[in-house]
Amino acid sequence: MGIPRKMIPIVLKQTTPTELTPARLRQQLHNIGLTCEHTDEQRLRKYIDEVRKEIPKGRTETFAILKPLEDRQPAWSDTSLDDWELSSLGNWEPDGPGMGYGPDLHYLIFKQHFDWLRDNRPSFPGAEEANAYKKRYDSVDAIKEAFKELATTASAALVKGLNKDSIESIFSNAIAPLNDKNARDYDKKNSRVVFLVENYDPASREAEGIGALAVEWHLMIKDYKEKKKLSHDTELKIEARSILYGDLAAMKADLLAAKAHFKGRAFAGRGAGLMGIPAKDTAIEIYEKRPPANETTFLKSLPLDSDSEKARVMVMFTPDLQNIGSIDNSGSKATATYAKSVTTGFTFSSTQQFSIKSEFEAGIVLAKGSLEIGFTLSFTEQSSKSTTETINFSVPPGEIAFTYQGDVRCQILEYDPVTDKYQYRASSRFLSPVIASTKEPIIPGTQARIRAMKSG
């Protein structure tokens, strides 16, 4: 008996994909000022039939086809589903309010996030396809050729290809009007975000896979309304990328890894704050005690590189001040100096390896006894290795000095998509470069307390 395949719960209702009709195409051509004899219905029907013959047959279906809102152009900077609207109908649509998995799929398919996942997550199921050409056509032929290239490039970004009717729907309104109706050249960027479904069973309300497809294109036709010219310089650039998941836990692992990495810098710094973290923020949280192993802790912690499907972060907690030396110069009339070797960085064993692929920071105000000190810690790729350097201290005549180094306990928190659980792993300490001196010693056993979070 074989192992049963994991299925993804999703509630959809069947729809008829939007068709590219001669009337719909003629309206698009008229909207950009093309009203010549090439736009009569019989000729356009012939063009559409020729395009349909070129559209490849595929198996992956669609449950939402979105285009950017008119006032959100150009499309590649759009940050949330609020910046998109329904463009046309696919094979299915959500049976109820909202987009279900849509927001998560949109986060993963956004180019900045997609590129990072492709480069840093070995198990990431992303695929890409691109095409570009420069040729000469008459204006209507140029648009017909653009339809064909968009269709084949989009389908090629999926292993099983894209459903033919869905492809036609996606590009049924691809020729967008120009903002400047007097422009000599047709020069327009546009895009679509498409949510995908594989082998959806309406009886069980389950699918074998869900995903997303993003297609971005830039079409330029030189002097496109000039009727005296038989052909026009035409340039088309297309980029398509796709993701497809057969396991929600695998999708969750990629989503957690990306959100922990980008935090408030999501959507190129233009996105909404993540769980209260403001945009462009690279801050991680230092907790007073070890927090629970859950999603909230994961997203607010220091992201680590991973060479498997698992996602990992470093959780920082229980900051403290440790005495690293003292000097009694109370009986001397001269300044006393001494040198101390101080180690900074993480103190994992040599068998525990990890790396930090970006820069993050943490800040707190720590109080212990009569000493109150501000921690501002920066974490970079170099932080994953401990270093030792010599620091020189001086104590004035008649004084006593007690020197303390800030440190923070830390532990790796791992999300495993196989078990869909968070679990703490190897623990260590982070020895900070924060050094402070006091005239009075801190009483042993005094509890350190976080007085405030420190920013900037």
Side-chain angles (χ1 to χ4, degrees):
M1 184 175 178
I3 300 174
R5 182 180 176 85
K6 286 186 178 180
M7 300 294 285
I8 295 175
I10 184 170
V11 181
L12 304 173
K13 61 180 179 181
Q14 194 163 21
T15 55
T16 301
T18 302
E19 186 180 354
L20 178 59
T21 63
R24 185 172 280 117
L25 179 54
R26 184 173 60 248
Q27 185 61 57
Q28 292 178 70
L29 296 175
H30 286 184
N31 286 344
I32 64 173
L34 293 179
T35 57
C36 59
E37 67 275 8
H38 292 286
T39 64
D40 71 84
E41 184 167 334
Q42 185 176 357
R43 195 180 294 267
L44 291 181
R45 186 173 299 280
K46 179 175 179 293
Y47 286 156
I48 291 171
D49 289 341
E50 289 174 358
V51 171
R52 284 175 176 157
K53 289 178 182 178
E54 298 291 329
I55 296 177
K57 291 182 179 180
R59 293 169 53 190
T60 305
E61 296 184 323
T62 59
F63 69 89
I65 300 172
L66 307 176
K67 66 178 180 179
L69 292 171
E70 289 299 323
D71 61 350
R72 298 295 195 271
Q73 301 284 356
W76 4 108
S77 65
D78 296 331
T79 60
S80 75
L81 286 181
D82 293 336
D83 295 314
W84 298 81
E85 63 182 348
L86 189 67
S87 173
S88 58
L89 293 176
N91 308 100
W92 307 89
E93 66 181 6
D95 190 3
M99 280 290 174
Y101 302 111
D104 290 343
L105 293 170
H106 175 250
Y107 191 104
L108 293 164
I109 202 66
F110 184 75
K111 183 170 174 55
Q112 179 196 26
H113 308 159
F114 180 99
D115 289 348
W116 183 85
L117 287 162
R118 177 201 61 206
D119 295 340
N120 293 278
R121 297 277 298 163
S123 59
F124 180 60
E128 298 170 279
E129 192 72 23
N131 194 4
Y133 67 74
K134 291 182 180 180
K135 297 180 182 179
R136 291 182 65 83
Y137 301 98
D138 74 45
S139 293
V140 178
D141 276 340
I143 289 170
K144 180 184 74 173
E145 188 67 19
F147 274 112
K148 290 196 299 186
E149 294 297 332
L150 285 166
T152 55
T153 304
S155 187
L158 294 162
V159 173
K160 297 180 181 179
L162 192 58
N163 174 269
K164 192 169 183 175
D165 292 336
S166 279
I167 294 177
E168 182 173 333
S169 177
I170 291 168
F171 302 113
S172 62
N173 53 4
I175 308 304
L178 296 173
N179 295 328
D180 181 4
K181 294 183 179 180
N182 297 318
R184 292 182 57 185
D185 304 331
Y186 184 85
D187 188 340
K188 191 74 173 179
K189 294 179 179 179
N190 213 328
S191 68
R192 296 290 182 271
V193 167
V194 184
F195 297 143
L196 310 171
V197 63
E198 275 199 346
N199 295 330
Y200 178 65
D201 183 353
S204 66
R205 293 185 169 184
E206 293 177 320
E208 290 187 4
I210 59 170
L213 168 71
V215 187
E216 298 161 356
W217 68 91
H218 186 184
L219 176 61
M220 295 162 282
I221 308 173
K222 196 76 172 174
D223 297 319
Y224 76 108
K225 288 191 287 188
E226 181 58 61
K227 297 180 181 180
K228 293 181 181 180
K229 291 187 176 183
L230 296 178
S231 60
H232 306 265
D233 291 328
T234 302
E235 185 173 355
L236 178 65
K237 297 177 182 178
I238 313 168
E239 292 184 4
R241 58 188 179 275
S242 70
I243 50 174
L244 199 64
Y245 290 95
D247 183 355
L248 286 181
M251 184 175 83
K252 181 178 177 180
D254 284 342
L255 191 66
L256 284 169
K259 285 187 173 182
H261 173 80
F262 286 104
K263 301 190 187 300
R265 296 168 299 152
F267 297 104
R270 293 182 291 269
L274 170 65
M275 303 183 75
I277 301 173
K280 296 187 180 179
D281 195 358
T282 58
I284 63 171
E285 187 159 333
I286 297 177
Y287 296 88
E288 201 149 58
K289 61 181 181 180
R290 193 181 81 168
N294 58 26
E295 180 176 343
T296 300
T297 301
F298 194 100
L299 294 177
K300 291 187 176 183
S301 297
L302 179 64
L304 303 179
D305 190 26
S306 178
D307 58 0
S308 70
E309 293 182 357
K310 298 175 183 178
R312 305 191 306 164
V313 295
M314 187 77 76
V315 181
M316 316 291 289
F317 57 95
T318 317
D320 204 353
L321 295 169
Q322 301 294 335
N323 182 266
I324 59 172
S326 62
I327 186 168
D328 185 348
N329 199 31
S330 59
S332 173
K333 296 182 179 180
T335 297
T337 60
Y338 71 101
K340 173 71 176 180
S341 294
V342 177
T343 300
T344 60
F346 290 98
T347 60
F348 281 101
S349 67
S350 59
T351 58
Q352 180 64 47
Q353 296 182 355
F354 68 93
S355 64
I356 302 166
K357 287 295 184 71
S358 190
E359 294 186 9
F360 296 87
E361 59 185 24
I364 57 170
V365 176
L366 185 68
K368 186 172 183 178
S370 60
L371 180 60
E372 187 170 289
I373 184 172
F375 273 61
T376 299
L377 306 178
S378 295
F379 300 96
T380 65
E381 190 170 356
Q382 288 72 36
S383 304
S384 59
K385 298 178 181 179
S386 60
T387 59
T388 301
E389 60 180 321
T390 300
I391 298 178
N392 295 308
F393 300 90
S394 61
V395 182
E399 298 288 344
I400 301 174
F402 299 87
T403 305
Y404 295 87
Q405 180 181 15
D407 71 353
V408 184
R409 289 186 62 190
C410 51
Q411 194 165 2
I412 291 175
L413 177 61
E414 184 177 82
Y415 171 74
D416 186 349
V418 174
T419 60
D420 191 23
K421 291 182 178 179
Y422 298 88
Q423 189 169 357
Y424 276 111
R425 296 297 187 185
S427 60
S428 181
R429 290 165 63 204
F430 178 76
L431 303 176
S432 83
V434 176
I435 305 294
S437 295
T438 64
K439 293 182 179 181
E440 300 289 337
I442 297 174
I443 299 173
T446 301
Q447 183 73 35
R449 294 174 292 108
I450 297 176
R451 290 288 301 275
M453 301 303 292
K454 193 170 181 287
S455 61

